[in-house]
């Protein structure tokens, strides 16, 4: 969480089949590629309801409020993950260089574990809330201080923190897509990579996250810049495990329904995602439910954390943005979130088979002329009953045709050919089917796309940046 929110200028979930909607197709329906909800008993608290799908529902805890019995009663009852609101930040944990103080951080941590909750660490490297001694540093001296801070804090909590926000808020607001101009950025453009490599060595068991705000809307430059960094890190082996979306939604930075696309596209890069600091101006029940459902729709979404317990505990109390009123009573938004969590899928659906039809074209994903040759590029063609249009989803994320040929990406860039190839288990043969009907390559993060928004027989199939166009959405018949 920043000391501001500028307007625009663990428990892992069990593995699920990627082609959930193919089950619907086997039953003869025509439907979007969306997972049906699983059947289970409704839970009465947020944490328990989230746990049904292997996720968490957490909150930020302030050590100074742990003597408030109403506060702790709600927090203990409702949440199964805790983030220290300020107590693990740089100024709190290393007020003097090399002299660490974990008294407040330990109070939050101990309260959490004594009450059966896991803990997210927040945050290790940040331009804000630096102590005065760090603010005066620059260049290599600052880099060494950052390394020393990461090592000192992570050594204290080694093996105890499930996720760390290693780097926080490194990108600039606005349309530039640039890094934020900070003392850390001026120490060298590789400072983020250095922080993640240091953190991995300090505690190999912790998930390492990058965390930021105003990155929920897929179309924004800041989001795209963060995406490019994460993709680069994954390609080069920089140890990043997850991305946190703060989700401080307000009139200047409103919720957009493409948030789900954002989560899906980042997850397709091979990282987990999490909603880390959620608060919503006015606490709209609809928006709270939408955000919850967005997380539930993405297999690699670890969970949701709201930034505070009651409105009176919020850093934006004037916006009444949380799930509980000042007196601790539940809001309508609370019920909306609980209902969404209880409706979430917890079952392992079987793999299925069927035709995959383009929404824009009403034509099927087709292997030309029934070819079985490796490297044959796929096309759109009138739907029929032939084997060259029958696709089978496997538990490992493949889409197979003819039994032993896989849907295969011939590259990772825009325009890369999508073809059939003998199955061999590579990430270029693994696909994530999203609830909006898009099919995303796990290796590339790009969408299955009909070239040139074409709809005619013979239109070739390629990879292209996801845009939610009808030429990138698919249904099963």
């Amino acid at each position: 969480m920043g000391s501001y929110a500028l307007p625009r200028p663990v428990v892992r979930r069990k593995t699920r089949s990627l082609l959930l909607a193919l089950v619907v197709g086997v039953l003869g329906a025509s439907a979007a590629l969306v997972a049906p909800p699983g059947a289970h008993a409704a839970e009465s608290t947020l944490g328990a309801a989230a746990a049904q799908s292997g996720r968490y529902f957490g909150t930020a805890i302030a050590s100074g409020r742990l003597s408030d019995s109403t506060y702790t009663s709600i927090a203990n009852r409702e949440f199964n993950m805790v983030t220290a609101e300020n107590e693990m930040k740089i100024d709190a944990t290393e007020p003097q260089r090399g002299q660490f103080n974990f008294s407040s951080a330990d109070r939050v941590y101990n309260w959490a574990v004594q009450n059966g909750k896991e803990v997210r660490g927040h945050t290790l490297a940040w331009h804000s809330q630096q102590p005065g001694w760090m603010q005066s540093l620059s260049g290599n001296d600052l880099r060494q201080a950052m390394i020393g801070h990461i090592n000192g804090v992570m050594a204290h909590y080694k093996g105890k923190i499930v996720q760390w926000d290693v780097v926080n808020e490194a990108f600039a607001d606005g349309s530039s897509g640039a890094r934020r101009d900070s003392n850390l950025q001026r120490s060298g453009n590789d400072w983020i990579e250095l922080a993640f490599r240091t953190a991995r060595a300090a505690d190999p068991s912790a998930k390492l996250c990058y965390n930021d705000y105003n990155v929920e809307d897929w179309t924004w430059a800041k989001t795209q810049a963060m995406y490019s960094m994460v993709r680069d890190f994954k390609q080069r082996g920089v140890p990043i495990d997850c991305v946190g979306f703060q989700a401080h939604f307000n009139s200047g930075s409103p919720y957009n329904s493409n948030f789900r696309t954002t989560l899906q596209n980042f997850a397709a890069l091979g990282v987990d995602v999490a909603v880390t600091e959620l608060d919503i101006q006015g606490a709209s029940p609809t928006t709270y439910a939408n955000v919850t459902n967005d997380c539930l729709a993405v297999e690699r979404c670890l969970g949701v954390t709201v930034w505070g317990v009651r409105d009176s505990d919020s850093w934006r109390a004037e916006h009444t943005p949380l799930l509980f009123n000042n007196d601790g009573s539940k809001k309508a938004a609370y019920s909306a979130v609980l209902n969404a969590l209880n409706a979430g899928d917890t079952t392992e659906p079987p793999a299925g088979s069927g035709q995959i039809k383009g929404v824009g074209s009403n034509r099927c994903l087709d292997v030309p002329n029934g070819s079985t040759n490796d490297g044959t590029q796929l096309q759109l063609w009138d739907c029929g009953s032939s084997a060259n249009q029958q696709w089978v989803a496997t538990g490992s994320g493949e889409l197979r045709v003819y039994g032993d040929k896989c849907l295969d990406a011939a590259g990772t860039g825009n325009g890369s050919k999508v073809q059939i190839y003998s199955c061999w288990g590579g990430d270029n043969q693994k696909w994530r089917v999203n609830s909006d009907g898009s099919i995303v390559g796990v290796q590339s993060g790009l969408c299955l796309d009909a070239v040139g928004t074409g709809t005619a027989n013979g239109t070739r199939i390629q990879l292209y940046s996801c845009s939610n166009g009808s030429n990138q959405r698919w249904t099963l018949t």
Side-chain angles (χ1 to χ4, degrees):
M1 180 191 71
S3 55
Y4 48 80
L6 297 176
R8 182 186 179 190
V10 95
V11 182
R12 276 294 296 123
R13 194 177 190 200
K14 67 181 75 171
T15 302
R16 298 168 57 199
S17 169
L18 299 183
L19 283 179
L20 302 176
L22 289 176
V23 179
V24 179
V26 171
L27 298 177
S30 176
L33 296 169
V34 180
H40 49 77
E43 295 288 350
S44 60
T45 65
L46 300 172
Q52 294 177 111
S53 63
R55 293 177 173 80
Y56 60 80
F57 203 95
T59 191
I61 292 291
S63 61
R65 293 190 171 93
L66 289 176
S67 59
D68 181 332
S69 60
T70 302
Y71 179 89
T72 55
S73 176
I74 297 170
N76 189 28
R77 181 187 74 225
E78 295 290 343
F79 304 106
N80 57 355
M81 179 70 79
V82 162
T83 305
E85 188 167 352
N86 289 292
E87 290 79 358
M88 292 187 184
K89 292 176 181 174
I90 309 169
D91 56 353
T93 52
E94 195 179 1
Q96 301 297 324
R97 188 170 188 175
Q99 298 179 17
F100 291 89
N101 183 341
F102 296 105
S103 56
S104 294
D106 282 350
R107 189 178 183 204
V108 174
Y109 175 83
N110 291 336
W111 180 88
V113 297
Q114 288 164 9
N115 288 284
K117 304 174 194 316
E118 292 187 300
V119 180
R120 295 190 77 254
H122 177 78
T123 177
L124 296 169
W126 189 25
H127 72 276
S128 186
Q129 288 185 241
Q130 295 179 2
W133 66 265
M134 183 175 278
Q135 294 176 35
S136 67
L137 301 180
S138 61
N140 189 61
D141 198 15
L142 177 59
R143 290 164 71 90
Q144 294 306 310
M146 180 188 74
I147 291 170
H149 179 78
I150 292 171
N151 284 328
V153 175
M154 293 191 78
H156 182 76
Y157 291 110
K158 187 173 183 178
K160 299 178 179 179
I161 301 289
V162 294
Q163 303 172 37
W164 270 109
D165 289 334
V166 178
V167 174
N168 198 44
E169 301 175 358
F171 287 92
D173 285 294
S175 59
S176 70
R179 294 276 187 91
R180 179 188 298 275
D181 181 20
S182 69
N183 61 347
L184 288 166
Q185 179 62 30
R186 291 189 295 273
S187 75
N189 197 56
D190 65 338
W191 73 272
I192 301 176
E193 177 176 344
L194 176 63
F196 275 92
R197 293 193 184 279
T198 302
R200 174 65 87 227
D203 187 355
S205 66
K207 285 186 182 292
L208 306 182
C209 307
Y210 176 80
N211 191 56
D212 216 324
Y213 70 98
N214 281 1
V215 288
E216 295 78 21
D217 189 318
W218 177 245
T219 67
W220 287 4
K222 189 174 180 181
T223 309
Q224 293 299 312
M226 185 173 76
Y227 179 85
S228 295
M229 180 191 74
V230 175
R231 181 172 58 188
D232 172 63
F233 280 8
K234 292 299 292 183
Q235 290 173 344
R236 293 192 296 111
V238 178
I240 184 170
D241 304 311
C242 52
V243 177
F245 298 82
Q246 293 184 17
H248 295 297
F249 294 119
N250 56 65
S251 57
S253 181
Y255 170 82
N256 188 295
S257 60
N258 70 23
F259 182 38
R260 186 175 300 188
T261 298
T262 303
L263 295 176
Q264 291 164 340
N265 288 342
F266 275 87
L269 293 177
V271 293
D272 294 327
V273 294
V275 180
T276 55
E277 304 183 21
L278 178 63
D279 48 31
I280 299 170
Q281 183 174 356
S284 161
T286 299
T287 304
Y288 260 109
N290 286 341
V291 174
T292 303
N293 283 321
D294 289 341
C295 180
L296 290 170
V298 179
E299 182 185 1
R300 296 196 71 151
C301 185
L302 300 170
V304 176
T305 294
V306 288
W307 205 248
V309 178
R310 306 160 299 189
D311 283 340
S312 54
D313 307 312
S314 171
W315 67 308
R316 294 173 137 182
E318 71 279 8
H319 288 171
T320 60
L322 297 175
L323 299 175
F324 295 88
N325 293 304
N326 294 351
D327 63 1
S329 58
K330 300 171 182 176
K331 296 184 180 182
Y334 171 92
S335 298
V337 170
L338 184 63
N339 290 339
L341 291 170
N342 275 320
D345 178 47
T346 63
T347 60
E348 178 79 13
S353 64
Q355 294 170 319
I356 299 174
K357 181 184 291 187
V359 169
S361 64
N362 206 34
R363 291 189 164 91
C364 281
L365 195 64
D366 177 279
V367 184
N369 302 313
S371 172
T372 59
N373 295 330
D374 285 349
T376 301
Q377 186 171 7
L378 297 176
Q379 64 179 2
L380 294 177
W381 200 263
D382 292 335
C383 298
S385 58
S386 300
N388 64 327
Q389 293 184 358
Q390 299 299 315
W391 298 92
V392 177
T394 72
S396 61
E398 298 167 331
L399 276 169
R400 292 190 175 216
V401 66
Y402 308 135
D404 61 351
K405 299 293 183 180
C406 275
L407 187 70
D408 178 287
T412 58
N414 281 340
S416 294
K417 180 172 72 171
V418 175
Q419 60 190 6
I420 59 167
Y421 210 88
S422 298
C423 298
W424 64 281
D427 284 347
N428 68 315
Q429 294 185 346
K430 294 179 181 178
W431 305 86
R432 183 180 303 279
V433 174
N434 299 318
S435 58
D436 62 359
S438 62
I439 300 177
V440 175
V442 167
Q443 182 185 63
S444 66
L446 302 178
C447 275
L448 200 68
D449 176 283
V451 172
T453 67
T455 60
N457 280 336
T459 299
R460 298 297 181 179
I461 305 300
Q462 64 180 0
L463 291 179
Y464 213 83
S465 298
C466 299
S467 64
N468 200 37
S470 63
N471 66 317
Q472 294 184 352
R473 288 186 286 117
W474 308 86
T475 62
L476 185 78
T477 57

